[in-house]
Amino acid sequence: MTATATRATETGEFSEELVSKAQAARKASRPLSRASTDEKNRALERIAASLEERSDDIVAANAQDYAAAQADGMTDVLLDRLLLNEERVRGMAADVRATIALPDPIGEEFDISTLPNGLRICRRRVPLGVIAAVYESRPNVTIDIAALCIKSGNAVILRGGKEAINSTTTLAGIVREALEDAGLPRDAAQIIESTDRAIVGQMLVYEGGIDLLIPRGSDTLIRFVRDNARIPVVTGGIGVCHTYVDADADVEQAVAIAYNAKVQRPTVCNALDTLLVHSQAAPKLLPAVVAAWAQDNVEVHADGRALALIGPEPPTRVITAIEDDWGREFLSLTAAVKVVDSIDEALEHIAEYGSGHTEAILTTSDENATRFLDEVDAAAVIVNASSRFTDGAQLGLGAEVAISTNKLHARGPMGLRELTSYKWTIVGDGQTRT
Amino acid sequence: MTATATRATETGEFSEELVSKAQAARKASRPLSRASTDEKNRALERIAASLEERSDDIVAANAQDYAAAQADGMTDVLLDRLLLNEERVRGMAADVRATIALPDPIGEEFDISTLPNGLRICRRRVPLGVIAAVYESRPNVTIDIAALCIKSGNAVILRGGKEAINSTTTLAGIVREALEDAGLPRDAAQIIESTDRAIVGQMLVYEGGIDLLIPRGSDTLIRFVRDNARIPVVTGGIGVCHTYVDADADVEQAVAIAYNAKVQRPTVCNALDTLLVHSQAAPKLLPAVVAAWAQDNVEVHADGRALALIGPEPPTRVITAIEDDWGREFLSLTAAVKVVDSIDEALEHIAEYGSGHTEAILTTSDENATRFLDEVDAAAVIVNASSRFTDGAQLGLGAEVAISTNKLHARGPMGLRELTSYKWTIVGDGQTRT
C-alpha cells in the first residue's frame, strides 16, 4: 500500500471494511499472480460446478432481493436485470466455462532479444494486481468479472448494487470457496457488504490500494466514475456510433446493415445512433432503410434533406432532427439521419460528434474505405459491416470487462490481456554500464 | 475538444494562450497523425540541420537566460543544467538524428486475423494525439521531446521552466519552422510562453485538450503532477532501487556491479539506493564493496550487522542506518546497506520499500534467479547486471521520454511505441450480427 492509502486510512478517510478487504486482496494478489493456468482453471471449474449445485440457494437469495425491489417500486426493466432463475444461473456457469477455454495471458514473454553486450531482455506479461468492479443491479456481473480477474491472475474487489446485495453476497461466497478449494487464497475475491454509497467515492480515490477500477452499469454510474476517479479507471461504454453510407454503396447490403446496427440490440453502446447518407445514395437508400426500420417502429430524427426524401407519409414516426440529436447516444429504437454531400463532410461530422467508440462506412470504393480507416479516430473503425461487431466475444477476445474509449492502456473491447501489465526482465552475467 | 474543456474555456478556467495553442495543436495533430515516415524524418533532419546552422543564435539566447539566472543566485548545479554551448547544441542535433534512425511505430498492424464470418480484423498503431511536456531548467528537453513526439505522429505542447524561457522559445521556433519546411503543420509543436505557474495546474486538468502529459524534472515537479493530474500522466522517475547479493554470488562480479550501480551516475533514478547482502556473502563482500565505493567517497548508511562486518576503521564515511534510510531514493553518493538471512527476507524488504522501478539480484543460483524474476513486482527485474540498465537507449528502444512506474499503459522506459495507442480496424463484405 502506498503512503497515500496508508495516510488516508490513518485519518479515517476510508471505511474500515474497504481498507481491511483491500489489504487482504493485495496480500492474496501475490500468490494468485504466480498461480499456474491449471490452478486458476480449477478454481473456475469449481465456480461453475458450485453455481449449478447451489442454484436453489442462489435463486432463493435473489428472490429476497427481487421481492424487496418490487415492494420498493422498481421498474420492470430493472427488475428483469435483477432477476436470477435456474436458466440464468446455468448461463453464468456456461460463461465461466467459456473463460476456462480462453488462453492464459500471464507469463507470456514478448519483445525478446539479446543485446550486443549479452544482456537477455524481454517483457513478461503480469497481472495488474487488484482490480475493483463497481456495478448495479445485474448480479451476474459478480461472476463474470470475478472469473476474468481470476483467469488473468488479478485479485478483485466487488461492489454490487444494494438492491442485489443478497444475490451478490451469495455469489461472491461461491467464488471465495472455489478459490480455496483450488488451493488459491480465498481473499483474492472480496465483496463489499456495506451498502453505504460513500464507499464508491472512497474506492475512486484509493490510490495504491486499487490498481484499476471498472464501472459496469448506467451512464450515470460511468460518468460519476469518470468525473471523480483519482485511480486508473476504464471509462468507456458511451458510444455515439455513426454509419456513413457512401455514394456508391450496395443499397441492399446497406439497408441490411443499417437495420441490424439499429435494431438487433438498441440498448447497447455499439448500436447505430446516426446514419449519414451521401446525397447520391440517399434517394434510393433512405426510403428503403426507413421501411426496414418501420418493422420495429424505429423513430427517425431526420435533417431537412432526409425528411424530403423520406416523403410526407413515412411508415414509421419521422420528426425533424434538432441540433441535440447529433452526438446523442439514443440507447433505444431511435435514429438520427442526415444527408451529406461528400465523404469529407461525413468525416467532419464524425470528428465533431463521435465519441470515439465505433464508426462505420458502407462503400464499394476502396479509396474511400481506406480514407475512412485512416482518418477516423475511434476505438473501432468498420468497413461494410454492422457497428454491433465492436464486442470482445465477436472479435475473438472472449469475454470483455468493458469497451474502452480511452487511448491509454487499452482501446476497444477489454478482454483478459487488457487486464495485464508487463515487467521487463533483464538477465546478464556481470554486465555494468560504461 | 470534450465538453469539459469547452466548459472550462467558457468559464475562463484556462488561460487564453493554453486554449488557443491546445486547439491549434489538436487541429494539427490530425494531418501529422497521417504523415509518412519520410515526411516526419525530413522534419527531424531539418531540426538537426537548423540546430547546427543556428547554433550561435541558440547559444546567445541561452546566454541571456544564464546571465539572469546567475544574477538571481541559481546554484552551480542548476546553472550547469541550464547551459547550452556549441558542443551541447551539436549533441542535441546528434540525438535528433538518432531518432530519425528509429523505426516508425505508426501504422504497424498486429493481432491480424480473419474471423469465421469473414471479417478481417487487426489492431493498427496510431498516435495518442496531443502530448504535453512540462519541464524545468534543461532547455534540451524541448528538442528531445519534440523529436520523439513528431516521430510518433503526436502534436506537442511544450512548457519549459521560466529560467530557460529564451532558450526554449528559440528552440521551439526551430522545431516549428522545420515542420513547415517538411510540409507538415507548424502548429503541431506549441510552446507556452507565459511563465505564469498556474498554467501547469491548468494543463493537468485539461481533459480532452491534452491526451498525455509528461513531467520531466525534479521530484517536486513529478509529485506535483501526480497529485494534481486529472488527465493521463506518466508518473515515474522515482526509483528506490535495491540490489540483493545472494549467498553464493560471485564476489568480484558483485563488487563491480554494486560499484557501477552506485557510482556511475548517482543522480539518476536507476542508481542503487540499498544494497541487501545475504549473511553468508556479507563477511567477504561488504569490506570489498565499501573499499570500492570509498574510491568515490560514497557515504554508507549500514544496519548493525553490516556495521560490524565493515569494521571500526572504514575507508569511507559509514554511519548507522535509520528507519528512513530504507525506501529512500538518495540521488547522491550515498547508499544504505543491510544484511539479510535469506532471499525471502530480501524479497520482503523489496516488497515493502521498493518503488516498483528496478530491482536486481546477483546470484549463481538459477533457482533464486527465477524466484526473483517471478516474485519481484517492478518495472524492471534484473539478474547479474547493474540496475543502471533500466534505460530506453540501453534496452534498445532508442530515446525515452520517461521511465514509467505505472502499471497501466506502459511500464519501464517509454520510447516511441509507448507514445502510441491503437485502433481496431474491421473490414467486411456485408456482415450483420445475429
Side-chain angles (χ1 to χ4, degrees):
Chain A
M1 196 160 65
T2 64
T4 308
T6 309
R7 201 166 51 240
T9 310
E10 284 162 2
T11 58
E13 200 179 310
F14 295 129
S15 91
E16 256 180 60
E17 184 189 7
L18 175 60
V19 173
S20 66
K21 291 187 173 176
Q23 287 177 344
R26 174 67 66 203
K27 198 170 163 210
S29 74
R30 298 199 186 98
L32 183 64
S33 75
R34 300 191 295 275
S36 69
T37 306
D38 277 355
E39 286 172 310
K40 294 184 286 189
N41 283 344
R42 209 150 53 222
L44 295 182
E45 178 48 45
R46 273 309 304 153
I47 294 172
S50 278
L51 287 170
E52 291 166 341
E53 290 157 15
R54 299 185 45 193
S55 181
D56 291 349
D57 298 352
I58 298 164
V59 171
N62 182 254
Q64 287 181 46
D65 291 331
Y66 194 92
Q70 208 167 21
D72 237 37
M74 186 182 265
T75 65
D76 286 352
V77 171
L78 290 178
L79 280 172
D80 183 59
R81 285 191 193 156
L82 178 57
L83 181 71
L84 290 182
N85 53 32
E86 212 195 306
E87 188 194 340
R88 288 190 178 180
V89 173
R90 272 202 310 273
M92 285 158 61
D95 287 346
V96 174
R97 293 209 171 91
T99 302
I100 295 176
L102 295 174
D104 183 349
I106 301 305
E108 185 202 343
E109 297 190 333
F110 55 104
D111 292 347
I112 301 169
S113 68
T114 300
L115 302 177
N117 62 7
L119 286 178
R120 285 169 292 141
I121 66 172
C122 76
R123 305 198 213 201
R124 184 195 289 186
R125 214 175 281 292
V126 298
L128 289 172
V130 176
I131 294 177
V134 175
Y135 48 104
E136 294 175 326
S137 49
R138 290 183 202 270
N140 60 307
V141 173
T142 312
I143 296 295
D144 185 11
I145 297 264
L148 291 167
C149 287
I150 292 170
K151 182 79 184 223
S152 57
N154 291 291
V156 63
I157 302 174
L158 300 155
R159 211 294 184 175
K162 80 163 183 264
E163 62 284 4
I165 187 73
N166 291 296
S167 317
T168 49
T169 308
T170 304
L171 293 169
I174 286 175
V175 172
R176 286 168 57 83
E177 277 170 35
L179 283 163
E180 193 155 29
D181 288 348
L184 294 172
R186 64 190 287 139
D187 277 345
Q190 299 288 341
I191 181 141
I192 302 292
E193 292 178 54
S194 160
T195 55
D196 181 359
R197 291 201 56 178
I199 291 189
V200 175
Q202 293 171 18
M203 292 169 83
L204 290 173
V205 297
Y206 199 31
E207 294 173 80
I210 294 170
D211 297 303
L212 177 68
L213 185 141
I214 299 166
R216 281 276 288 264
S218 66
D219 272 26
T220 316
L221 171 67
I222 289 165
R223 284 182 216 275
F224 177 77
V225 166
R226 192 186 58 193
D227 292 346
N228 293 282
R230 296 295 312 256
I231 63 167
V233 296
V234 176
T235 55
I238 296 169
V240 178
C241 302
H242 300 80
T243 294
Y244 164 59
V245 185
D246 203 13
D248 59 356
D250 177 311
V251 173
E252 197 181 329
Q253 200 180 84
V255 171
I257 290 174
Y259 177 77
N260 183 261
K262 182 67 260 177
V263 170
Q264 197 247 353
R265 199 168 166 205
T267 58
V268 293
C269 57
N270 57 16
L272 179 150
D273 293 294
T274 295
L275 187 73
L276 300 170
V277 186
H278 192 286
S279 50
Q280 279 174 44
K284 257 197 172 171
L285 187 96
L286 274 181
V289 168
V290 172
W293 282 347
Q295 301 166 57
D296 292 76
N297 301 313
V298 172
E299 179 173 304
V300 178
H301 297 193
D303 78 332
R305 293 167 78 186
L307 218 50
L309 290 165
I310 293 167
E313 288 183 24
T316 189
R317 184 170 154 81
V318 178
I319 62 173
T320 307
I322 58 170
E323 174 61 25
D324 272 359
D325 285 319
W326 316 124
R328 181 166 162 202
E329 186 182 28
F330 291 105
L331 298 169
S332 67
L333 286 168
T334 309
V337 175
K338 185 181 164 79
V339 174
V340 296
D341 286 317
S342 63
I343 183 173
D344 299 273
E345 196 184 335
L347 289 167
E348 272 162 39
H349 184 97
I350 289 169
E352 186 167 354
Y353 295 105
S355 65
H357 190 295
T358 300
E359 306 295 356
I361 184 174
L362 312 182
T363 185
T364 53
S365 154
D366 284 348
E367 191 188 329
N368 285 355
T370 300
R371 273 197 67 189
F372 199 85
L373 289 171
D374 288 350
E375 298 186 26
V376 171
D377 185 21
V381 190
I382 298 183
V383 175
N384 293 333
S386 169
S387 58
R388 292 276 296 111
F389 284 108
T390 306
D391 173 284
Q394 293 295 318
L395 296 180
L397 299 186
E400 72 195 12
V401 294
I403 295 179
S404 163
T405 50
N406 294 350
K407 282 188 176 181
L408 274 281
H409 190 63
R411 203 173 188 200
M414 292 182 65
L416 290 173
R417 202 207 287 171
E418 288 70 30
L419 295 180
T420 69
S421 180
Y422 58 83
K423 62 182 166 193
W424 287 87
T425 70
I426 303 171
V427 177
D429 49 12
Q431 284 83 350
T432 54
R433 194 163 156 188
T434 46
Chain B
M1 196 160 65
T2 64
T4 308
T6 309
R7 201 166 53 240
T9 311
E10 284 163 0
T11 58
E13 202 179 307
F14 296 130
S15 90
E16 255 182 61
E17 184 189 9
L18 175 60
V19 172
S20 66
K21 291 187 173 174
Q23 287 177 344
R26 173 68 66 201
K27 198 171 162 208
S29 74
R30 297 198 188 97
L32 182 63
S33 74
R34 301 190 294 274
S36 69
T37 305
D38 277 356
E39 285 171 312
K40 294 185 286 189
N41 284 344
R42 206 148 59 223
L44 295 183
E45 178 49 43
R46 273 309 305 151
I47 294 173
S50 278
L51 287 171
E52 290 165 341
E53 290 157 16
R54 299 183 46 193
S55 182
D56 291 350
D57 299 350
I58 298 164
V59 171
N62 182 255
Q64 287 181 46
D65 292 329
Y66 194 93
Q70 207 166 24
D72 237 36
M74 187 182 267
T75 65
D76 285 352
V77 172
L78 290 178
L79 280 171
D80 183 60
R81 286 191 192 156
L82 178 57
L83 180 70
L84 291 181
N85 53 31
E86 211 195 308
E87 188 193 342
R88 288 188 179 183
V89 173
R90 272 203 309 273
M92 285 159 60
D95 287 345
V96 174
R97 293 208 171 91
T99 302
I100 296 176
L102 295 174
D104 183 348
I106 301 303
E108 185 202 343
E109 296 190 332
F110 55 104
D111 292 346
I112 302 169
S113 69
T114 301
L115 301 178
N117 62 7
L119 286 178
R120 284 169 293 140
I121 66 172
C122 75
R123 304 197 213 202
R124 184 195 289 185
R125 215 175 280 293
V126 298
L128 289 171
V130 176
I131 294 176
V134 175
Y135 48 103
E136 294 175 327
S137 49
R138 291 182 200 271
N140 60 308
V141 172
T142 311
I143 296 296
D144 185 11
I145 297 265
L148 290 167
C149 287
I150 291 169
K151 182 78 183 221
S152 56
N154 291 291
V156 64
I157 302 173
L158 300 155
R159 211 294 182 174
K162 79 163 183 260
E163 63 283 5
I165 188 71
N166 291 297
S167 317
T168 48
T169 308
T170 305
L171 293 170
I174 286 176
V175 173
R176 286 167 57 83
E177 278 171 33
L179 282 163
E180 192 156 29
D181 287 349
L184 294 172
R186 65 190 287 139
D187 277 345
Q190 298 288 341
I191 182 143
I192 301 292
E193 291 178 56
S194 160
T195 55
D196 181 357
R197 291 202 55 178
I199 291 189
V200 175
Q202 293 171 18
M203 292 170 84
L204 290 173
V205 297
Y206 200 31
E207 295 172 81
I210 294 171
D211 296 303
L212 177 69
L213 185 141
I214 298 166
R216 281 276 288 263
S218 66
D219 272 25
T220 316
L221 171 67
I222 289 166
R223 283 181 217 274
F224 177 77
V225 166
R226 193 186 55 192
D227 293 344
N228 293 282
R230 296 295 312 256
I231 63 167
V233 296
V234 176
T235 54
I238 296 169
V240 178
C241 302
H242 300 80
T243 295
Y244 164 59
V245 185
D246 202 12
D248 59 355
D250 178 311
V251 172
E252 197 181 328
Q253 198 179 87
V255 171
I257 290 173
Y259 176 78
N260 182 262
K262 180 71 258 177
V263 169
Q264 197 247 352
R265 200 167 166 207
T267 57
V268 293
C269 58
N270 56 16
L272 179 150
D273 294 293
T274 296
L275 187 73
L276 300 170
V277 186
H278 191 285
S279 50
Q280 280 173 44
K284 258 198 171 168
L285 187 97
L286 274 182
V289 168
V290 171
W293 282 346
Q295 301 166 55
D296 293 75
N297 300 313
V298 172
E299 180 174 303
V300 179
H301 296 193
D303 79 333
R305 293 167 79 186
L307 220 50
L309 290 165
I310 294 166
E313 287 183 23
T316 188
R317 183 171 153 81
V318 178
I319 62 172
T320 307
I322 57 170
E323 174 61 25
D324 272 1
D325 284 319
W326 317 123
R328 181 167 161 202
E329 186 181 28
F330 291 104
L331 298 169
S332 67
L333 286 169
T334 309
V337 175
K338 185 181 165 77
V339 175
V340 295
D341 285 317
S342 64
I343 183 174
D344 299 273
E345 196 183 336
L347 289 167
E348 272 162 39
H349 184 97
I350 290 168
E352 187 167 355
Y353 294 105
S355 64
H357 190 294
T358 300
E359 307 294 356
I361 184 173
L362 313 181
T363 186
T364 54
S365 155
D366 285 347
E367 191 188 330
N368 285 355
T370 300
R371 272 198 67 190
F372 199 85
L373 289 172
D374 288 350
E375 298 186 24
V376 171
D377 186 21
V381 189
I382 298 183
V383 175
N384 293 332
S386 170
S387 59
R388 293 276 295 112
F389 284 108
T390 306
D391 173 284
Q394 293 296 318
L395 297 180
L397 299 188
E400 72 194 10
V401 293
I403 296 179
S404 164
T405 51
N406 294 352
K407 284 189 173 179
L408 274 279
H409 190 63
R411 204 173 186 198
M414 290 182 66
L416 290 173
R417 201 207 287 170
E418 287 70 30
L419 295 180
T420 68
S421 180
Y422 58 85
K423 62 180 166 194
W424 288 85
T425 69
I426 303 172
V427 178
D429 50 12
Q431 284 83 348
T432 54
R433 193 163 156 191
T434 48

